[in-house]
Each structure stands twice: as structure tokens, then as C-alpha cells.
Amino acid sequence: MSWWLLLYSISILARYQPRKWSEALDVDKSGSAAALEYASDIVLDVIPHLVLEGLDQQPRLLAKPMAF
């Protein structure tokens, strides 16, 4: 559920506050830009596994361990 909450929050920010979202992604001005970029890279690996788990109703192991 944490992944879905994170994605929902980011999508709301990007949709309704596009100026703040683009400022948050600016690597030169924002301290959180690197963390947002890292999170978006991880999401591309994790979400397909979560969708597959939901469709199959069986837990799956991730292909590679997540490092935070």
C-alpha cells in the first residue's frame, strides 16, 4: 500500500501543482530531486511485480534486492 500511496501523492502533486513539481525535479535547485529520481527508478522495477502479485494472488520475490 505504501507504493500506491507514494505514486498517488506524486501524481496529485504533478497534476495540480505542476510548477512545484518541476521545481522539485530541478537537480540544481532542489535537494529532493535526487531522491525523487531514485524513487522513480525503483518504481519502474517494483510496480510490475506488485501488479503480477495482485493478478496471480501469489507473493513473488523481486528480481533484485532493493537498496535504500
Side-chain angles (χ1 to χ4, degrees):
M1 290 300 281
S2 299
W3 283 109
W4 302 117
L5 179 62
L6 174 69
L7 289 176
Y8 180 72
S9 301
I10 288 173
S11 70
I12 292 296
L13 179 64
R15 181 175 182 175
Y16 296 112
Q17 299 290 327
R19 184 173 295 151
K20 288 183 180 181
W21 176 243
S22 61
E23 289 172 1
L25 292 176
D26 187 4
V27 178
D28 294 329
K29 297 179 183 176
S30 175
S32 61
L36 288 170
E37 184 177 344
Y38 181 71
S40 64
D41 288 341
I42 288 177
V43 163
L44 291 175
D45 292 334
V46 172
I47 294 300
H49 292 281
L50 293 177
V51 170
L52 182 62
E53 282 182 0
L55 292 173
D56 288 345
Q57 297 296 315
Q58 296 178 4
R60 304 268 182 206
L61 295 177
L62 294 176
K64 59 182 178 180
M66 296 185 308
F68 292 100

